[in-house]
Amino acid sequence: MPFIRVFLLLLLLLAVPVAGCFDNAPSLADARRGVCQTLDSLRESFHALLEVNPNSSVAQVRELRATVDQWIASTRGINALLQIAQISDLLIAYDLFSQAVDGLNTDARVGDAAASLQAAAAAVDAALVQAYQAAQCNQ
């Protein structure tokens, strides 16, 4: 279901540049709503990753990340069109978080790596706040 929303959102964003050509074309406000809805979904799915602790299993963290990855892919697609620097920063912060997760032993608990994962997740969360502000979303 998220991929259908992403497809529709991308169609909407592609239609924005020609909005002046057609009376019923989507407005910039519609495109902004689409960006904000994607960021909302990203925030909701990422929230669970803020709760990572030493007792969290790596498999569980990777499963949660897989859900977030779908919204990150949507965000990348949107930002390829919009080129908002704060969203680019968000994507970089998420890539660093994801790399930290990739470096964990799959058959173990997070353990001592929890502090670095929490710091990386906090950086993503802060970047998400900045992306919201840059996209002029209500927080």
Side-chain angles (χ1 to χ4, degrees), residues 7-127:
F7 177 73
L8 293 174
L9 178 62
L10 288 175
L11 284 176
L12 176 69
L13 290 175
L14 289 172
V16 170
V18 294
C21 300
F22 303 99
D23 291 335
N24 61 353
S27 67
L28 184 55
D30 292 335
R32 185 171 315 283
R33 266 192 303 279
V35 169
C36 294
Q37 287 173 349
T38 298
L39 291 175
D40 283 339
S41 296
L42 175 58
R43 175 182 269 174
E44 288 174 25
S45 64
F46 188 77
H47 182 74
L49 288 169
L50 292 169
E51 305 297 321
V52 170
N53 63 61
N55 293 321
S56 301
S57 74
V58 173
Q60 178 186 22
V61 172
R62 287 187 176 165
E63 184 178 313
L64 292 170
R65 182 186 62 173
T67 301
V68 174
D69 284 347
Q70 295 174 3
W71 292 111
I72 286 292
S74 300
T75 304
R76 282 187 204 287
I78 290 167
N79 205 45
L81 298 171
L82 299 179
Q83 300 292 313
I84 297 174
Q86 291 83 353
I87 293 178
S88 295
D89 293 343
L90 166 65
L91 296 170
I92 291 168
Y94 182 77
D95 288 343
L96 292 172
F97 172 82
S98 189
Q99 289 171 6
V101 172
D102 286 339
L104 299 173
N105 180 357
T106 304
D107 298 327
R109 299 274 173 205
V110 171
D112 293 338
S116 63
L117 284 178
Q118 288 167 344
V124 172
D125 193 49

